[in-house]
Structure formats: structure tokens, C-alpha cells
Amino acid sequence: MGLNVPQFIDEAIGEIRRQVEGRAVIGLSGGVDSSVCAFLAREAIGDRLIPVYVDSGLMRQGESKKIAEMFSDFNLITVYAEDRFLSALAGVIDPEEKRKVVGETFIRVFEEEARQVGAEYLIQGTIYPDLIESEGGIKSHHNVGGLPLKMEFKGIVEPLRELYKDEVREVARGLSMPTEICERMPYPGPGLSVRILGEVTRDKLAVVRAANAIVEEELNSFLPWQAFAAILGKATGVKGDIRAYGYVVAVRAVSSRDAMTADVLELSWDVLRRISHRITGEIPEVSRVVYDLTPKPPGTIEFE
Ligand code: XMP
């Protein structure tokens, strides 16, 4: 049976109203989950909702500007925390530790903002697959298994915890949210940090951000579930007769219904070649581009 959207919206608004006393902070990432939560929460508690966007430095190209535009009528608080995230991530190479460091840093920033405005509740866009993957020990989604054990909040409110992504999109349409938000590709909370295998540095972030922008530009019209780039490591290449020890960038493009399983997009050779040429041509630090052929399972969608 499909989701009864109007009923879900009414019940979610009621639940938020019952759970939140006083003010609540919501972390907005620009993705459909947190955006839907923000729309529901605004209906439920009006200006007792304090929306916070944390620019972690792990965001996609142009994302901060886009989020400011998308939520221009929301009194958004923007926190610039790139240095803080990068110092917390310095030296961290284990993927699960990375997720925990990012999850904890987000929570500490939200706690500080909440303290300043006297909010005791945190609203999060956690969805069902986030819970399943974290509890099943597959990977700690930053908003579930990546959370610290001790938090200052009196309550965490998760109105979407029983929904799959396609149901969240239905709710978004039911709330008449802008199409751009309803149909956006999923993007992981730990952002570009899980698209860099090994240590996250400013230089690698710049490279992977540029590569992600090219992949999205080239593949958006294929309507993938997700299409992105990740840095796998370094390899020897040759550019203009000179040895180039550069980054290996993997391109990943998948179709999926709910992110629990995924198939690789069968792209034409022309499309793949064009992406490879653009990435090695436009990003001097990259010496090699590969296309990931692994479905989920046995792979996961993100690399870490
Ligand atoms: P995986 O990589 O486990 O990802 O196949 C399944 C889906 O979840 C997204 N993802 C996340 N979303 N917080 C999120 O909000 C996270 O920590 C996280 N990790 C992965 C991923 O992009 C894919 O759509």
C-alpha cells in the first residue's frame, strides 16, 4: 500500500507540535529529507523553528549559495565551519571514524547554535534506510550511528524515520515544494569527506568538488538516482610529455528505488569518454579516470 500523503503530513505536523516545547533547531543540508522536515516543522511550530545551515567545507560546488536562495524566506542561520571540520578530520583515514567525526562536529555546532537561541530540541531528516544501514552495521549514517553518545538536546525529533526516499519525495510534492528540491539527487551528510578515500585535505576537496560538478553536469539529464565522483588514490600518468603523479578519480552513476540496492547506469562510450576527457583536461591534478561497474550489493553507493 502506498503512503497516504495528506494523512502523513497531518500526523507529522501533530507529532512535531506535541514533541517540541519551546524552540527547535533544524539542520538544513539542501537535500530533500531535511527540507521536507523544515517545511513540516515550520507548519507545526512557526517561528519557534530555527533553521541552521552548516557550511562544513564538505559541500558541493555552489551549494551554500543555492541553499541560501532555496530558503530565502526561512530566516536561515548560516554557520561557516570549514576550518573546524577540517581540523577534526585531520589524520583520520578510517571511513567509520570519519563518519563519527563529521556526525559529532555537526552536533556540537548545532548545540552551540541551540544554546544561543535557547532551543532544546533538534529536528533531523533521518529516513528509514539511514536507520537500517547504521543499525545493521553497514555504515554509520552521520545522523544516526555517527552521533555522539552524549548530547545536550532534550529531544531529537525525526518525523521521516519510517519513510523511504521515494515516499519523502511524494511528501515534498504534497507540500508543493519547489521541483528542484523534490527531485534532487541524494547527497550524504558527511559530504565530500566520504568521496575521498583516505585523509581529507583542502587540496583533495577542491579536486573532488570540481570532479563532482563535471559528473553532475554531464549526467543529470540521465536522471540517475545518484551520479558523482570520488578520489581513490594516486597513480602515474603523463601530461604533455611530463610525468604526472595525479589523483585517480572514480565516476559512479547508479539507478535505485530506495538506496537499499542499486544498479550501475549503462552509459554510452561517448558519454564516458567525454567525462574522462573533461575531468583530466579541466582538473590538472587528476591523471586517471575510472568508471565503477559495481552494483549494490556487493558495493555500496558511496565509497566509504
Ligand atoms: P550507501 O553508500 O550506504 O548509501 O549505499 C545509501 C544512500 O544513503 C546516502 N548516504 C547518507 N545519507 N547520511 C545521509 O544522510 C549519511 O551519513 C549517508 N551515507 C550515505 C548515500 O548517498 C545513498 O544515497
Side-chain angles (χ1 to χ4, degrees):
M1 258 246 307
L3 179 75
N4 181 332
V5 172
Q7 187 184 338
F8 174 84
I9 291 174
D10 277 354
E11 287 175 3
I13 291 172
E15 188 189 322
I16 298 168
R17 242 179 232 146
R18 268 193 307 281
Q19 281 183 283
V20 176
E21 299 152 20
R23 293 182 163 169
V25 165
I26 181 165
L28 277 179
S29 68
V32 65
D33 307 341
S34 61
S35 303
V36 165
C37 276
F39 274 65
L40 292 170
R42 189 169 61 167
E43 278 301 304
I45 60 170
D47 57 11
R48 289 192 283 131
L49 177 73
I50 317 292
V52 178
Y53 164 60
V54 180
D55 184 342
S56 59
L58 309 172
M59 307 303 288
R60 283 173 287 187
Q61 200 160 280
E63 192 65 8
S64 296
K65 191 165 159 264
K66 193 174 253 173
I67 289 175
E69 282 164 13
M70 284 195 308
F71 294 96
S72 56
D73 61 340
F74 257 81
N75 270 335
L76 190 63
I77 297 178
T78 301
V79 183
Y80 294 96
E82 177 174 15
D83 290 346
R84 187 165 171 177
F85 276 84
L86 285 184
S87 9
L89 283 167
V92 177
I93 50 170
D94 177 72
E96 280 295 284
E97 196 188 335
K98 222 183 241 184
R99 286 171 167 275
K100 293 206 159 101
V101 165
V102 172
E104 162 141 26
T105 310
F106 267 119
I107 287 292
R108 299 301 170 229
V109 173
F110 291 139
E111 281 174 347
E112 285 165 23
E113 294 306 309
R115 231 178 284 143
Q116 284 192 22
V117 297
E120 290 184 303
Y121 289 82
L122 175 70
I123 301 179
Q124 290 211 123
T126 312
I127 63 172
Y128 191 59
D130 295 338
L131 295 168
I132 300 279
E133 301 228 341
S134 292
E135 282 163 11
I138 297 168
K139 50 179 85 164
S140 303
H141 280 217
H142 78 296
N143 45 349
V144 190
L147 293 183
L149 291 175
K150 283 210 161 123
M151 289 188 269
E152 283 176 16
F153 291 103
K154 196 163 157 188
I156 305 241
V157 182
E158 296 180 321
L160 311 180
R161 66 185 174 277
E162 285 169 10
L163 301 193
Y164 284 98
K165 185 75 88 181
D166 54 346
E167 295 174 319
V168 180
R169 292 195 203 282
E170 281 179 48
V171 175
R173 288 182 215 112
L175 290 165
S176 306
M177 287 169 57
T179 314
E180 200 201 340
I181 302 184
C182 302
E183 308 308 331
R184 278 198 107 184
M185 268 184 218
Y187 184 69
L192 297 176
S193 77
V194 291
R195 295 182 180 173
I196 295 170
L197 275 63
E199 190 180 7
V200 177
T201 63
R202 237 176 260 276
D203 290 351
K204 289 185 206 167
L205 277 170
V207 169
V208 84
R209 186 175 288 123
N212 268 271
I214 293 172
V215 172
E216 283 197 23
E217 229 174 88
E218 293 295 331
L219 296 183
N220 258 337
S221 60
F222 292 84
L223 303 176
W225 171 268
Q226 265 168 285
F228 60 89
I231 292 180
L232 302 186
K234 286 193 118 179
T236 304
V238 53
K239 285 196 179 185
D241 293 340
I242 299 170
R243 180 180 194 272
Y245 188 57
Y247 292 113
V248 182
V249 165
V251 175
R252 183 120 172 96
V254 296
S255 59
S256 178
R257 195 190 76 85
D258 54 17
M260 303 299 287
T261 60
D263 284 318
V264 180
L265 285 199
E266 288 189 30
L267 298 172
S268 75
W269 187 245
D270 271 356
V271 171
L272 288 169
R273 189 168 36 202
R274 185 177 155 78
I275 293 175
S276 164
H277 282 176
R278 278 198 63 189
I279 293 178
T280 50
E282 294 173 31
I283 314 173
E285 296 88 343
V286 178
S287 64
R288 211 171 275 243
V289 176
V290 298
Y291 188 51
D292 186 347
L293 301 178
T294 328
K296 174 182 180 176
T300 53
I301 296 177
E302 302 288 344
F303 284 79
E304 288 194 331

